[in-house]
Amino acid sequence: MNLITLKNKNAQEVSTLLETKGQDSLIEKFTSLGLPHKMTEEYHYFDVEKLLDHDYKTLDYIPKSIEEGEKVEIVDGVVIKAPKGLRVYSEICESIDMEHFDGLYYLGHLLSPRVIKIEVDGDAHVEILHKYTQSDALINYRVEISNQANRHVTMYENFETGDISNTLVLYGYDMHIAQDSTLRMVRLQTMSDNKYSMVSSHNVNVGKNANVVLKNFDLGGDNALQVLKVELGEHAHIDAEHLLYLNDDSKRGTASQIIHRGEHSTSRQVAKNILDGQARGIFDALIRVEKTAKFTKAEQNAKSILLHKKAYMVSKPQLEIYIDELEASHGATTGQLDEKQLFYLQSRGISYLEARKILVIAFANTLIETVKDTRHQERIKDAFEAVFYASNKE
Amino acid sequence: MSIMKIENLEAKIGDKNILKGLNLELEAGKVHAIMGPNGAGKSTLSKTIVGHYDVEITGGDITYKGKSIKDMEPEERALEGIFLSFQHPVEIPGVNNAYFLRTALNAKLKYEGKEELNAAEFLRAMKKHLEMLGMKSDMISRSLNEGFSGGEKKRNEILQMLILEPEVIILDEIDSGLDIDALRQVSEGINKMKDGKRTFLVITHYSRILDYIEPDYIHVLKDGKVIKTAGPELVPYLEEHGYDGIKED
Ligand SMILES: Nc1ncnc2c1ncn2[C@@H]1O[C@H](COP(=O)(O)OP(=O)(O)OP(=O)(O)O)[C@@H](O)[C@H]1O
Ligand SMILES: [Mg+2]
């Protein structure tokens, strides 16, 4: 299937092409937003058409009986394992956000009307492993995550592939964070060698007094965009951290909208970007404060380091405000490694390569070290070092 | 026996010629003090010796143990035993001081073909140095020099010297900004390294530190050249008359 055939088609044509039944409102949303292209705001810096315009092999997503395992394991969009005590099942999605800004969010739901539902009871640590084993395939699936009021959940999301190439993954989660609860999601994704590209389109709904923490570690090469929409209820809080460490001719990043709807809602969004080679990093992040969101606090900051003269960072923190009663700040800086610091380390006998590594990691550490679980923190540090040594050889 | 020889050294920073045919010979195991007016080129000389990227050598040579070091990388000079305590040490947020110190020490041990130290062994080895320098142990769990007071930064430089045990030790205004206790502790650290083999180049404006670490030679650096070399008896003369009255050797 070539997704580019959906370009500029009307609802009738899309319905025919996708062979959908009874999903008129989704088709309506999709066709009004259209298939993303260069001029689509969120995809402006990401070459999405190149990814869509390819004849991909399509897969069947027949739910399997789920084995018991340590983590939720999703192979090519199908759950095969899950830990005991966690409710994981496949179901028609009934909580699609009808105000999402991303066409691919709707396309994702159209292609995958059945979603993987993960319901977390109580306080829990959950690991989700996404595995991709098919080359030249379009892998599309969606995950719906919900928790319970007053509970604290931490999720670790990881990605693994076989020896594949040229696959496109369209995926994303719909998250419903119950009131008075906390959900932390730590996501580590290292990509390389054009095994797959990804557009993940998420929707996060944060209930009253709830707290969501998203920590994203996007490392390595290739093409991937995270499109994120977050809505904050009354007294809800989001802490979103994005670490990008890219090399080669990678194009990756985040296009996000955080929408303050409830009074006293707070948001903090921090991006740290390190770009090597000819990589392009994207941090296109809008915070919108609605009229209903009095006494809001919003803070947004992006810092970037370019390690190579051909590397490029698109850093666009933006605030859109419809009220006066709020505290908001935002800023973005871009620079290089500090020569003085590099020299200081070298003057103590530390090699140029090690000195660079120390400084690059120091820049990233403020985000990596907020992952309190030492095993996961070590994993992120190791992945980070691996990317460093892949592009910095003696 | 000379350990370092600087001959007709000319160097510039940007377009500005700063060292203008400087000659200086460091005798192994001795303490050499360099004094001279602001802007004379003292810090530039020390930066040139350690291979700072700001400085471009336009003439002359620096030999260390009989070999020219002009084209050596800064880290190689350090591993070979040259150490500079900076006039203004930089702050490096996010780099843990203990981690940095251990990395530096292990780089040196590895270079010398010796066993590297793990974190616990290293901390044990550090303890006595910290005590001597009057440094609180939280100083090494913090980020390197970040938010350190002037005196704390200087102590941290001396700590690095004690750990790395270099052979030629250049101290660029190690005494500036130190209170009396700190001056005594830092001097004690320096004296501890004086074993008759290590060589010191002490850049200073004040005779106070020279009371503690008795120099063997005083060199006066003015306008990019060493204009006079004498024994310690020159210090009181300089204190009284300043640099203007000095006659070139
Ligand atoms: N990075 C630089 N760019 C331009 N000029 C410089 C730079 N560094 C030093 N200089 C100039 O070179 C000259 C010598 O400076 P240097 O720091 O070596 O003097 P100094 O003898 O150490 O002085 P002080 O006693 O004040 O520390 C000064 O005129 C100074 O302004
Ligand atoms: Mg100076």
Side-chain angles (χ1 to χ4, degrees):
Chain A
M1 171 175 197
N2 190 328
L3 293 171
I4 209 82
T5 52
L6 297 169
K7 195 175 173 179
N8 299 329
K9 295 288 191 298
N10 64 32
Q12 184 61 50
E13 293 162 326
V14 169
S15 177
T16 310
L17 282 164
L18 295 180
E19 300 172 23
T20 56
K21 279 188 236 76
Q23 288 172 295
D24 298 350
S25 54
L26 284 188
I27 299 240
E28 199 62 45
K29 286 300 295 184
F30 172 64
T31 46
S32 70
L33 289 164
L35 198 67
H37 52 87
K38 240 197 214 58
M39 298 319 288
T40 313
E41 173 103 35
E42 294 74 32
Y43 290 85
H44 196 58
Y45 307 98
F46 184 73
D47 213 348
V48 69
E49 277 175 302
K50 196 182 80 191
L51 300 182
L52 297 174
D53 189 4
H54 183 85
D55 231 333
Y56 292 105
K57 160 172 96 188
T58 50
L59 307 178
D60 291 325
Y61 302 92
I62 302 158
K64 293 206 169 93
S65 67
I66 299 172
E67 279 177 48
E68 193 181 314
E70 280 181 4
K71 39 187 122 172
V72 178
E73 216 174 296
I74 306 173
V75 180
D76 300 327
V78 178
V79 184
I80 59 155
K81 280 185 190 164
K84 215 173 143 185
L86 194 69
R87 274 184 294 160
V88 181
Y89 52 96
S90 153
E91 197 183 68
I92 300 285
C93 188
E94 277 163 3
S95 59
I96 299 172
D97 175 18
M98 293 314 284
E99 285 166 38
H100 208 292
F101 55 87
D102 181 20
L104 289 189
Y105 174 79
Y106 293 103
L107 181 62
H109 276 291
L110 282 166
L111 291 169
S112 319
R114 297 185 81 89
V115 296
I116 297 165
K117 240 177 153 161
I118 302 178
E119 281 179 22
V120 193
D121 293 340
D123 298 332
H125 282 243
V126 179
E127 282 189 55
I128 303 177
L129 176 64
H130 303 264
K131 275 191 186 172
Y132 307 120
T133 69
Q134 302 285 321
S135 289
D136 293 293
L138 171 65
I139 301 179
N140 56 270
Y141 61 108
R142 296 205 53 90
V143 179
E144 195 179 327
I145 296 170
S146 55
N147 67 345
Q148 288 179 320
N150 284 306
R151 296 298 182 179
H152 306 290
V153 175
T154 304
M155 302 186 112
Y156 297 94
E157 201 181 23
N158 298 297
F159 298 82
E160 244 179 58
T161 67
D163 188 13
I164 60 168
S165 59
N166 294 320
T167 279
L168 173 65
V169 179
L170 295 183
Y171 125 90
Y173 43 75
D174 287 270
M175 260 188 203
H176 309 283
I177 320 290
Q179 71 174 50
D180 299 300
S181 74
T182 306
L183 190 138
R184 301 161 61 85
M185 170 76 104
V186 178
R187 181 182 195 274
L188 169 64
Q189 188 172 27
T190 303
M191 296 170 81
S192 67
D193 304 324
N194 280 316
K195 289 179 170 162
Y196 66 101
S197 307
M198 177 179 273
V199 179
S200 47
S201 196
H202 309 298
N203 176 47
V204 180
N205 220 304
V206 192
K208 189 174 166 184
N209 275 324
N211 192 353
V212 65
V213 180
L214 306 177
K215 295 177 188 288
N216 294 289
F217 299 93
D218 291 331
L219 312 180
D222 298 353
N223 299 288
L225 187 68
Q226 287 207 65
V227 184
L228 175 65
K229 182 187 169 211
V230 178
E231 284 198 38
L232 298 172
E234 199 182 319
H235 284 282
H237 175 73
I238 182 167
D239 218 327
E241 299 179 347
H242 311 266
L243 179 72
L244 265 188
Y245 181 23
L246 305 182
N247 57 18
D248 298 336
D249 54 357
S250 174
K251 278 200 181 79
R252 285 171 69 180
T254 301
S256 66
Q257 288 193 9
I258 294 176
I259 300 158
H260 288 256
R261 284 213 195 287
E263 288 188 1
H264 295 282
S265 52
T266 53
S267 65
R268 174 180 163 272
Q269 195 175 23
V270 177
K272 290 215 169 183
N273 312 295
I274 304 158
L275 304 181
D276 207 340
Q278 307 178 37
R280 172 187 287 184
I282 301 162
F283 178 66
D284 186 357
L286 174 74
I287 292 183
R288 194 164 82 219
V289 180
E290 299 283 8
K291 282 204 188 66
T292 49
K294 283 186 189 143
F295 318 113
T296 286
K297 271 192 202 159
E299 183 192 331
Q300 210 181 19
N301 192 286
K303 286 202 173 80
S304 310
I305 286 189
L306 306 180
L307 297 177
H308 196 282
K309 57 181 183 305
K310 288 196 172 151
Y312 182 64
M313 182 70 209
V314 180
S315 202
K316 278 178 59 186
Q318 303 152 74
L319 270 170
E320 198 179 300
I321 299 168
Y322 296 96
I323 51 162
D324 299 327
E325 303 91 336
L326 87 169
E327 278 177 47
S329 68
H330 72 157
T333 58
T334 300
Q336 272 113 39
L337 284 185
D338 187 309
E339 266 191 320
K340 272 202 180 112
Q341 297 180 343
L342 266 175
F343 181 77
Y344 189 81
L345 298 175
Q346 284 177 275
S347 78
R348 299 309 184 230
I350 297 169
S351 73
Y352 177 69
L353 188 74
E354 279 304 298
R356 270 171 76 92
K357 190 190 86 180
I358 288 171
L359 294 184
V360 167
I361 291 183
F363 179 76
N365 260 350
T366 43
L367 295 188
I368 297 177
E369 287 179 353
T370 61
V371 176
K372 292 295 172 223
D373 181 285
T374 42
R375 182 171 67 94
H376 288 285
Q377 191 191 103
E378 283 308 315
R379 255 173 4 98
I380 295 165
K381 283 187 173 167
D382 290 349
F384 194 93
E385 277 203 17
V387 173
F388 179 85
Y389 284 116
S391 41
N392 293 270
K393 299 194 177 73
E394 301 254 22
Chain B
M1 197 192 74
S2 111
I3 184 154
M4 185 177 282
K5 205 167 174 183
I6 300 170
E7 288 171 295
N8 293 318
L9 187 65
E10 291 174 20
K12 61 179 191 180
I13 294 182
D15 294 332
K16 187 168 174 178
N17 295 316
I18 299 169
L19 303 183
K20 304 168 180 170
L22 183 144
N23 291 292
L24 179 67
E25 197 165 340
L26 300 185
E27 200 177 320
K30 301 290 186 200
V31 178
H32 297 255
I34 290 198
M35 303 186 80
N38 292 130
K42 302 181 297 296
S43 293
T44 304
L45 171 63
S46 60
K47 281 164 135 184
T48 313
I49 298 172
V50 296
H52 194 278
Y53 56 87
D54 266 353
V55 184
E56 186 193 339
I57 296 181
T58 50
D61 203 0
I62 307 173
T63 51
Y64 171 63
K65 295 181 178 170
K67 276 191 297 189
S68 172
I69 57 167
K70 249 182 5 183
D71 299 321
M72 268 192 197
E73 295 300 324
E75 58 267 36
E76 206 184 338
R77 301 183 202 207
L79 293 168
E80 283 290 324
I82 301 172
F83 178 89
L84 168 62
S85 158
F86 289 89
Q87 184 172 357
H88 305 289
V90 305
E91 302 193 0
I92 313 191
V95 175
N96 174 272
N97 196 18
Y99 173 80
F100 155 71
L101 295 166
R102 183 159 67 92
T103 305
L105 173 59
N106 280 341
K108 172 153 171 121
L109 291 173
K110 189 173 169 198
Y111 188 72
E112 292 170 349
K114 294 181 186 150
E115 193 88 16
E116 295 176 36
L117 298 187
N118 66 32
E121 292 165 336
F122 174 75
L123 286 177
R124 236 172 287 137
M126 293 273 292
K127 225 176 149 213
K128 58 176 194 291
H129 298 318
L130 290 176
E131 274 167 24
M132 185 179 70
L133 292 172
M135 288 172 80
K136 285 189 230 96
S137 59
D138 84 306
M139 300 267 313
I140 62 164
S141 53
R142 281 163 61 180
S143 279
L144 175 51
N145 290 332
E146 190 187 22
F148 284 22
S149 72
E152 288 169 341
K153 283 181 184 160
K154 294 299 170 79
R155 282 182 166 97
N156 205 42
E157 294 290 289
I158 294 302
L159 179 63
Q160 292 167 47
M161 174 195 76
L162 290 168
I163 292 169
L164 296 173
E165 303 183 337
E167 292 174 63
V168 169
I169 296 160
I170 307 164
L171 303 165
D172 191 358
E173 298 201 22
I174 189 70
D175 50 344
S176 67
L178 293 187
D179 63 31
I180 301 180
D181 287 339
L183 184 67
R184 187 179 40 75
Q185 285 159 332
V186 160
S187 305
E188 205 178 309
I190 295 166
N191 282 330
K192 202 165 162 248
M193 296 297 279
K194 268 169 73 178
D195 60 354
K197 293 192 206 90
R198 293 180 218 285
T199 310
F200 291 82
L201 187 62
V202 184
I203 298 170
T204 182
H205 288 291
Y206 309 103
S207 60
R208 234 173 25 160
I209 191 168
L210 301 177
D211 293 339
Y212 286 102
I213 44 172
E214 303 151 9
D216 299 292
Y217 300 101
I218 309 291
H219 309 277
V220 177
L221 202 161
K222 208 178 152 184
D223 195 22
K225 278 193 253 186
V226 173
I227 59 161
K228 187 166 193 69
T229 293
E233 69 283 355
L234 186 64
V235 178
Y237 179 86
L238 288 174
E239 290 266 286
E240 198 169 324
H241 303 281
Y243 299 109
D244 284 343
I246 296 287
K247 281 204 233 38
E248 255 181 80
D249 280 341

